């Protein structure tokens, strides 16, 4: 099916054809499904106090078998993680071989947990027919102790994080750049190519040890079906399991195969007898230069293909390996490289179609790497909470405290699936609202995977029986902003635009589960039934002065401007889904009406909470704020100017007159409500009554705006949001106003002073575990929602309604043009500027100008509100990968941001004395 004026369709490429057939042909069966970190996770924690970081630290990782998953550098595995591939290296100087990424625990890190390695995800295809990443490995001893000690000294102060490049270990480029590539000759035939380049001024030695192992599934119960790896003629390693085909692992150049068991070294860790050739045996023998620890019988459940190389300065060596079924055809070095060339050409062809119309090569590079990061962050996630709490038959019983501790109310949760992770080192576990954003980006290249991910989180082995979605493994019962319905709509629309076939079955399935989730929200997070919401909303909580997930030091509750706005947005998303489904099933008109009604009640509550005369809109500041409800009945606005006050912009929908013919039932009930509740009708903007709220009726007739704010309030919010001395950064909208740098918000209570001031980078406050990172930086996901909201408002107001941007500049833009300007600023984080540098690399020092690295893009968790420098998790491509949407021609063109839902042409009258453009509306 041609697109864009005759350009070839994505699914007409070879990779596209594989993608459409992968459910049958199995091209998704193998992929980069290993985490970069399994140690220090909740699921591996069997401690009585829940201190996951200390229970299984990095020092234990090489010696201790994992219960629930595996990790490795550049890992690749099958979709059940039964066989695993990864890369290990040794420079001859380290005390241990490098077989997993090192980083600091939450307590060790200057600003929380923090990976201390340099690696980049550079390319990939959605079927994982081709994948490529780069790892930079020092030639001197890796500075483990220095990184821990110096970051410990900096903890609690106004210091930047101490990174690998700061240690001096990479001086004079004395390092190896190790490029790891995978290509699949067939769905179950995996080729690995490792290229090692010496960037230093002198020849240097390196040991390369690609590893193959089986996830340990046998130590936790009496299981006679232990897999086996053994050396056979060739030399090759034969891999067998009780079920499944025999597979072979081979090196296409000379290598020494070393074997051990993927089992805990109980003698080293606990002083007890155990496996004779445990998990760390290969490490011990390589570092010691002996063969005393590995299995002399050359068999086990873990093996490595060791080769030693002296690499001249500037030289690159290339090593080739294959893991395939035993009956796969032979492949020599020429055929191996030809297969890689073919897969790379197919990847290029796939992205050439995706990027059709993108003339800027730098934009194409950034978008492709953003999508590569998404693909590399897919992970096999395995966690059975009931089994974790009860313990395993062959292991010591877990401490009794655990049955009343973390996640004990989530015993139904039993996950064993491929899931998109926020970051496979810093966040190697799914998070509900992160995943929603990931899926929207994935819909650009693999809409079936995106739809499957959204459905997965609503399945009975994920969703709580009460309707709550699991937040994340540190606290499945916590709450995240309810953006799942928004994501389902966007994925549905992107999928329809790409395939030409709206998947109503997907939309209906997810809608029914989301109605259960919506009911949970209404019943659990609206404390007094006032349509005003409370709860942690982790992610935006640490903008404020209190941790909203915990009891307040003042007592009482906080009525949240963002929490309530999220729920208003949720109602509009569900209303829109219901109307989409009503096109084929009129039953959904009734449901759409219910969500229309619910939105109006929330909009009313934000203006007047429970008839108290106090709303979340502050008339003096003309901004939305949280309101603190004190035990004595007082209601105190918390005037912190932040994203909390901008989230109400995101709850917006535009309806048009064509609905009378398409959905008469919905139209009649909506009209009845607006006629009989003039107080609610005043919250809705129309054109037919000459209210001056937007452009004259167009081809679609009169339009109706459903929003938490009408023109006056929107204009007031935009004047703050677009003020470069306030919320607008050169790189997007800040999470906290820059005005708080000179004028911190201060709240005194019982002799304790609480304050919030602007911090454009990492937080210096100890609140929230020293990780209050929403107090100034730019965050991609909220900016995306604001951009889309501006497009929707623009669909109502039209191009002739213009606003000053930036505030005070004398330059006026329409709302879609303002959305384009925000998009441009966000993209500028990653694109080369006039000086040739990328703002995201501002804190990388000399690495930012390294000719070998300056086009390797890190997609950070968030960004310095002043400089654009990348902050937080270095590889949180998950939601930062949303930039891939913005880089396309016709930004967000396949979402319906500029479209309207048809509605009736009948507008309810404005009650006497109520000016629709007055400050109260």
């Amino acid at each position: 099916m041609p697109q864009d004026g005759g350009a070839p369709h994505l699914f007409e490429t070879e990779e596209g054809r594989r993608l459409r057939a992968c459910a049958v042909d199995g091209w998704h069966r193998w992929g980069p499904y290993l985490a970069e970190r399994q140690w220090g996770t909740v699921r591996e924690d069997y401690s009585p106090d829940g201190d996951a970081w200390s229970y299984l630290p990095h020092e234990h990782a090489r010696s201790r078998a994992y219960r629930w998953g595996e990790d490795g550098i550049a890992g690749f595995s099958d979709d059940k993680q039964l066989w695993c591939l990864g890369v290990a290296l040794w420079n001859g100087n380290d005390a241990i071989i490098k077989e997993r990424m090192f980083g600091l625990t939450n307590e060790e890190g200057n600003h929380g947990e923090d990976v201390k390695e340099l690696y980049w995800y550079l390319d990939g295809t959605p079927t994982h027919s081709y994948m490529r990443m780069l790892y930079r490995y020092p030639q001197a001893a890796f500075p483990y102790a220095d990184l821990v000690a110096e970051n410990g000294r900096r903890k609690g102060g106004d210091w930047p994080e101490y990174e690998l490049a700061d240690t001096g270990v990479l001086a004079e480029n004395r390092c190896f750049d190790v490029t790891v590539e995978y290509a699949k000759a067939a769905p179950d035939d995996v080729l690995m190519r490792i290229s090692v380049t010496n960037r230093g001024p002198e020849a240097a030695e390196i040991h390369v040890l690609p590893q193959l192992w089986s996830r340990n599934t046998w130590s936790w119960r009496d299981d006679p079906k232990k897999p086996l790896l053994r050396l056979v003629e060739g030399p090759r390693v034969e891999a067998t399991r009780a079920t499944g085909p025999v597979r072979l692992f081979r090196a296409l150049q000379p290598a020494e195969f070393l074997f051990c068991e993927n089992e805990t070294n109980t003698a080293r860790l606990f002083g007890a007898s155990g496996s004779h050739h445990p998990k760390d045996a290969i490490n011990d023998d390589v570092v010691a230069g002996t063969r005393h620890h590995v299995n002399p019988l050359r068999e086990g459940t873990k093996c490595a293909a060791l080769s030693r190389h002296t690499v001249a300065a500037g030289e690159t060596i290339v090593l080739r390996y294959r893991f395939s079924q035993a009956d796969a055809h032979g492949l020599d070095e020429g055929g191996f490289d030809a297969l890689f060339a073919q897969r790379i050409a197919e990847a290029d062809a796939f992205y050439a179609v995706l990027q059709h119309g993108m003339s800027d090569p730098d934009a194409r590079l950034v978008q492709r790497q953003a999508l590569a990061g998404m693909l590399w962050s897919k992970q096999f996630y395995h966690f059975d909470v009931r089994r974790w709490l009860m313990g395993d038959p062959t292991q010591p019983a877990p401490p009794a405290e655990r049955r009343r501790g973390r996640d004990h109310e989530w015993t139904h949760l039993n996950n064993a699936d491929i899931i998109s992770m926020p970051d496979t080192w810093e966040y190697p576990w799914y998070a509900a609202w992160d995943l929603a954003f990931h899926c929207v980006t994935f819909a650009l290249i693999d809409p079936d995977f995106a739809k499957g991910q959204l459905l997965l989180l609503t399945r009975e082995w994920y969703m709580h029986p009460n309707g709550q979605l699991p937040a994340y493994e540190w606290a499945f019962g916590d709450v995240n902003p309810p953006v799942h319905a928004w994501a389902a709509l966007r994925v549905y629309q992107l999928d329809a635009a790409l395939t030409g076939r709206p998947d109503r079955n997907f939309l209906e399935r997810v809608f029914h589960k989301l109605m259960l989730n919506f009911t949970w929200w209404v019943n659990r997070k609206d404390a007094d039934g006032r349509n005003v919401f409370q709860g942690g909303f982790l992610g935006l909580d640490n903008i404020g002065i209190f941790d909203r997930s915990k009891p307040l030091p003042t007592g009482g509750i906080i009525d949240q401007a963002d929490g309530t706005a999220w729920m208003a947005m949720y109602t509009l998303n569900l209303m829109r889904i219901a109307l989409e489904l009503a096109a084929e099933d009129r039953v959904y008109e009734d449901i759409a009406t219910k969500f229309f009604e619910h939105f109006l009640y929330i909009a009313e509550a934000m203006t007047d909470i429970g008839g108290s005369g106090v709303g979340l809109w502050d008339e003096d500041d003309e901004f939305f704020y949280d309101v603190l409800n004190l035990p004595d009945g007082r209601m105190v606005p918390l005037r912190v100017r932040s994203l909390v006050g901008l989230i109400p912009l995101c709850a917006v929908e535009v309806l048009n007159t064509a609905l009378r013919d398409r959905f008469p039932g919905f139209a009649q009930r909506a009209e009845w409500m607006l006629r009989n509740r003039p107080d609610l009708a005043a919250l809705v903007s129309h054109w037919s009554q000459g209210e001056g709220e937007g452009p004259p009726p167009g081809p679609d007739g009169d339009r109706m705006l459903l929003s938490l704010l009408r023109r006056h309030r929107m204009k007031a919010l935009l004047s703050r949001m677009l003020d470069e001395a306030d919320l607008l950064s050169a790189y997007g909208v800040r999470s906290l106003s820059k005005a708080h740098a000179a004028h911190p918000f201060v709240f005194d209570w019982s002799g304790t002073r609480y304050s919030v001031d602007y911090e454009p980078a990492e937080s210096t406050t100890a609140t929230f575990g020293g990780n209050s990172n929403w107090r100034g930086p730019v965050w991609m996901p909220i900016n995306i929602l604001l951009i889309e909201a501006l497009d929707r408002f623009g669909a109502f107001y039209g191009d002739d309604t213009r606003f000053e941007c930036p505030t005070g500049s004398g330059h006026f833009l329409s709302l879609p043009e303002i959305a384009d300007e925000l998009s441009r600023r966000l993209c500028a984080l990653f694109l080369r500027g006039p000086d040739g540098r990328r703002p995201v690399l501002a804190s990388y020092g000399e690495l930012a100008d390294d000719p070998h690295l300056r086009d390797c893009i890190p997609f950070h968790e968030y960004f310095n509100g002043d400089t654009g420098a990348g902050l937080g998790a270095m590889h949180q491509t998950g939601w930062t990968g949303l930039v891939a949407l913005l880089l396309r021609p016709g930004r967000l063109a396949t979402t319906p941001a500029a479209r309207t839902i048809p509605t009736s042409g009948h507008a309810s009258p404005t009650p006497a004395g109520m000016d629709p453009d007055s400050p109260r509306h």
Side-chain angles (χ1 to χ4, degrees):
M1 181 175 59
Q3 63 180 14
D4 291 331
H9 193 278
L10 201 64
F11 296 131
E12 293 175 354
T13 65
E14 188 61 33
E15 173 63 16
R17 283 188 281 271
R18 275 195 295 266
L19 187 60
R20 298 305 279 173
C22 67
V24 175
D25 296 343
W27 278 92
H28 273 150
R29 195 155 43 238
W30 289 82
Y33 303 144
L34 260 69
E36 302 291 357
R37 176 175 64 84
Q38 182 73 9
W39 60 273
T41 59
V42 166
R43 55 196 182 278
E44 298 294 343
D45 173 27
Y46 285 78
S47 68
D49 60 359
D51 187 354
W53 289 105
S54 298
Y55 180 78
L56 206 168
H58 178 265
E59 304 88 79
H60 288 195
R62 69 182 182 278
S63 305
R64 195 161 169 175
Y66 296 130
R67 171 63 180 88
W68 297 103
E70 295 290 338
D71 59 17
I73 297 174
F76 217 75
S77 79
D78 62 90
D79 58 5
K80 299 301 179 186
Q81 209 170 85
L82 298 176
W83 294 118
C84 307
L85 288 166
V87 175
L89 306 162
W90 190 53
N91 56 21
N93 296 307
D94 283 344
I96 58 174
I97 64 175
K98 177 64 69 175
E99 54 185 332
R100 60 183 49 81
M101 301 294 185
F102 171 72
L104 306 180
T105 70
N106 183 269
E107 288 302 314
E108 291 173 334
N110 194 21
H111 299 107
E113 60 265 34
D114 184 18
V115 68
K116 294 300 182 184
E117 306 270 11
L118 289 170
Y119 56 104
W120 298 265
Y121 301 126
L122 300 180
D123 206 359
T125 59
T127 67
H128 311 301
S129 59
Y130 177 71
M131 304 294 293
R132 176 166 60 99
M133 72 165 290
L134 172 65
Y135 173 64
R136 175 155 284 196
Y137 184 45
Q139 293 172 359
F142 196 90
Y144 294 103
D146 183 26
L147 287 165
V148 173
E150 180 58 26
N151 278 284
R153 284 190 288 270
R154 296 185 179 197
K155 191 173 180 66
D158 188 12
W159 291 88
E161 293 171 354
Y162 185 63
E163 304 290 1
L164 182 65
D166 300 324
T167 68
V169 74
L170 299 175
E172 299 182 280
N173 269 349
R174 293 181 182 271
C175 60
F176 297 105
D177 278 351
V178 182
T179 300
V180 183
E181 298 169 280
Y182 290 98
K184 285 191 266 187
D188 292 297
D189 192 344
V190 179
L191 312 183
M192 172 195 284
R193 185 164 68 182
I194 303 174
S195 304
V196 182
T197 301
N198 180 357
R199 297 294 184 199
E202 301 168 355
E205 184 180 58
I206 188 169
H207 298 61
V208 182
L209 303 92
Q211 297 184 336
L212 168 67
W213 71 99
S214 173
R215 176 167 60 90
N216 189 323
T217 59
W218 58 89
S219 292
W220 325 110
R221 60 186 185 275
D222 294 321
D223 185 1
K225 300 177 182 179
K226 184 176 176 180
L228 178 66
L229 298 171
R230 68 185 184 94
L231 193 67
V232 297
E233 291 184 7
R236 299 169 296 173
V237 175
E238 183 182 74
T240 58
R241 308 190 71 89
T243 59
V246 176
R247 299 183 63 85
L248 291 176
F249 178 52
R250 67 202 91 185
L252 273 66
Q253 60 282 317
E256 178 185 6
F257 288 94
L258 309 177
F259 292 82
C260 65
E261 301 292 345
N262 185 18
E263 297 174 355
T264 298
N265 188 336
T266 53
R268 168 176 286 169
L269 296 179
F270 309 116
S273 61
S275 174
H276 294 298
H277 312 289
K279 180 179 177 180
D280 53 13
I282 293 173
N283 170 87
D284 293 350
D285 275 8
V286 170
V287 174
T290 67
R291 293 295 174 266
H292 297 158
H293 300 88
V294 295
N295 191 339
L297 299 179
R298 298 185 177 182
E299 64 180 30
T301 50
K302 177 181 177 181
C303 74
L306 170 65
S307 59
R308 306 170 188 81
H309 308 272
T310 299
V311 187
E315 181 188 6
T316 299
I317 62 168
V318 181
L319 306 172
R320 302 166 179 84
Y321 308 88
R322 186 183 188 188
F323 187 45
S324 64
Q325 294 188 13
D327 59 357
H329 64 84
L331 200 63
D332 60 14
E333 182 177 309
F336 186 100
D337 288 344
L339 191 284
F340 264 92
Q342 178 182 342
R343 293 290 179 260
I344 292 170
E346 291 165 354
D348 289 343
F350 179 82
Y351 284 107
V353 173
L354 180 74
Q355 298 177 335
H356 177 71
M358 290 178 63
S359 59
D360 181 3
D362 195 40
R364 295 197 299 269
L365 178 144
V366 172
Q367 186 192 56
R368 187 161 171 174
Q369 287 190 30
L371 295 170
M374 301 292 300
L375 293 165
W376 273 98
S377 296
K378 291 162 68 172
Q379 178 186 323
F380 174 74
Y381 183 88
H382 185 30
F383 194 15
D384 179 345
V385 172
R386 182 176 179 83
R387 172 56 58 198
W388 176 70
L389 291 170
M390 294 176 60
D392 293 300
T394 62
Q395 300 296 311
E401 297 92 325
R402 288 164 47 79
R403 298 200 179 192
R404 300 184 300 276
R406 177 178 288 129
D407 295 331
H408 72 278
E409 296 178 339
W410 287 76
T411 54
H412 74 284
L413 192 139
N414 187 352
N415 303 164
D417 299 284
I418 304 300
I419 309 179
S420 174
M421 298 294 136
D423 177 296
T424 63
W425 194 95
E426 297 205 20
Y427 304 107
W429 28 259
Y430 62 87
W433 80 309
D434 295 62
L435 185 61
F437 290 111
H438 303 182
C439 291
V440 176
T441 305
F442 265 117
L444 287 178
I445 53 172
D446 192 349
D448 284 347
F449 178 76
K451 291 182 291 185
Q453 293 285 282
L454 291 171
L455 287 170
L456 188 64
L457 216 60
T458 68
R459 301 303 296 270
E460 57 271 21
W461 55 92
Y462 285 81
M463 177 183 269
H464 198 282
N466 65 18
Q468 184 179 10
L469 296 180
Y472 49 94
E473 71 177 25
W474 284 92
F476 284 121
D478 210 333
V479 287
N480 288 163
V483 293
H484 218 77
W486 169 82
L489 265 173
R490 298 302 163 264
V491 168
Y492 169 78
Q493 292 148 355
L494 285 162
D495 177 44
L498 188 60
T499 66
R501 297 184 302 275
D503 189 348
R504 296 183 186 277
N505 179 62
F506 154 73
L507 197 62
E508 190 167 21
R509 288 177 66 192
V510 76
F511 179 67
H512 282 279
K513 291 298 185 73
L514 290 179
M515 285 197 294
L516 296 176
N517 179 246
F518 181 82
T519 302
W520 174 84
W521 275 103
V522 171
N523 290 338
R524 297 297 182 94
K525 294 299 176 182
D526 179 7
D528 299 317
R530 301 168 302 156
N531 293 301
V532 176
F533 292 83
Q534 306 83 32
F537 293 96
L538 189 78
L540 298 186
D541 53 0
N542 51 27
I543 289 179
I545 57 175
F546 301 121
D547 186 338
R548 299 187 300 185
S549 294
K550 297 179 180 179
L552 301 177
T554 63
I557 60 173
I558 292 178
D559 291 325
Q560 296 177 2
D562 56 337
T564 306
W566 286 123
M567 286 302 291
M569 175 180 163
Y570 202 178
T571 62
L572 292 179
N573 294 151
L574 291 172
M575 182 193 76
R576 187 179 183 98
I577 294 175
L579 288 174
E580 185 72 23
L581 296 172
E584 295 186 0
D585 187 343
R586 295 298 185 186
V587 169
Y588 288 102
E589 288 189 47
D590 293 346
I591 301 173
T593 305
K594 182 63 179 176
F595 288 118
F596 175 83
E597 175 187 19
H598 211 126
F599 168 78
L600 293 177
Y601 286 129
I602 292 174
E604 179 188 40
M606 290 194 75
T607 300
D608 184 1
I609 302 172
S612 64
V614 177
L616 300 176
W617 175 261
D618 189 288
E619 295 289 356
D620 295 329
D621 280 9
E622 295 193 314
F623 204 78
F624 284 104
Y625 295 120
D626 288 347
V627 172
L628 174 63
N629 287 261
L630 294 169
D632 62 7
R634 285 181 295 154
M635 301 176 74
V636 181
L638 300 175
R639 293 185 173 90
V640 179
R641 197 150 65 245
S642 70
L643 286 179
V644 165
L646 296 183
I647 298 302
L649 280 167
C650 301
V652 55
E653 190 58 84
V654 180
L655 313 178
N656 67 40
T657 54
L659 181 136
R660 169 176 291 279
D661 296 328
R662 291 190 67 200
F663 308 119
F666 172 81
Q668 291 167 9
R669 286 185 287 273
E671 290 166 15
W672 182 93
M673 185 178 303
L674 294 175
R675 281 196 308 269
N676 288 273
R677 287 294 304 271
D679 54 328
L680 299 181
L683 303 171
V684 179
S685 296
H686 297 270
W687 260 116
S688 60
Q689 297 297 316
E691 296 178 0
E693 281 282 333
D700 296 327
D702 179 37
R703 287 188 285 278
M704 176 190 293
L705 177 70
L706 296 180
S707 170
L708 294 178
L709 56 163
R710 298 175 76 174
R711 182 169 178 172
H712 176 84
R713 290 185 179 179
M714 183 188 66
K715 183 178 180 181
L717 282 187
L718 288 182
S719 70
R720 301 281 200 189
M721 189 180 86
L722 301 177
D723 188 342
E724 293 179 318
D726 203 323
L727 286 162
L728 184 62
S729 161
Y731 305 102
V733 178
R734 301 179 175 100
S735 50
L736 188 75
S737 172
K738 191 172 185 177
H740 285 307
H743 305 285
F745 174 77
V746 177
F747 182 80
D748 292 307
W749 180 261
S750 297
T752 301
R753 170 162 288 200
Y754 302 89
S755 67
V756 173
D757 59 2
Y758 173 71
E759 298 178 285
E762 304 284 12
S763 175
T764 60
T765 178
T767 309
F768 310 100
N771 198 25
S772 299
N773 44 26
W774 285 79
R775 298 191 170 188
V778 171
W779 293 77
M780 183 69 68
I782 305 300
N783 273 265
I784 290 288
L785 293 177
L786 292 172
I787 287 170
E788 183 175 291
L790 291 172
D791 278 331
R792 287 187 177 278
F793 277 112
F796 181 77
Y797 288 110
D799 291 342
D800 293 335
T801 302
R802 307 178 78 79
F803 299 84
E804 195 173 26
C805 179
T807 300
S809 67
H811 186 57
F812 288 81
L813 300 175
S814 68
L815 289 166
E817 288 171 339
I818 293 172
D820 286 339
E821 173 61 15
L822 289 183
S823 177
R824 184 195 64 76
R825 293 183 182 224
L826 290 166
C827 293
L829 287 163
F830 309 100
L831 298 171
R832 287 187 179 278
D835 60 356
R837 307 191 78 187
R838 304 180 191 277
V840 66
L841 299 177
S843 61
Y844 280 70
E846 294 180 358
L847 294 179
D849 297 315
D850 186 324
H852 306 294
L853 300 180
R854 63 190 178 196
D855 288 334
C856 298
I857 317 298
F859 295 89
H860 281 264
E861 186 178 2
Y862 48 98
F863 305 88
N864 186 300
D866 292 341
T867 68
L871 301 169
M874 177 182 172
H875 302 90
Q876 192 160 349
T877 319
W879 61 18
T880 299
L882 287 161
V883 71
L885 291 164
L886 303 182
L887 287 165
R888 297 176 303 156
R891 173 192 50 80
L892 297 176
T894 55
T895 70
R899 290 177 11 207
T900 59
I901 298 178
T903 189
S904 133
H906 290 269
S908 56
T910 302
M914 300 185 79
D915 177 3
D917 198 31
S918 74
R920 285 192 55 80
H921 298 284

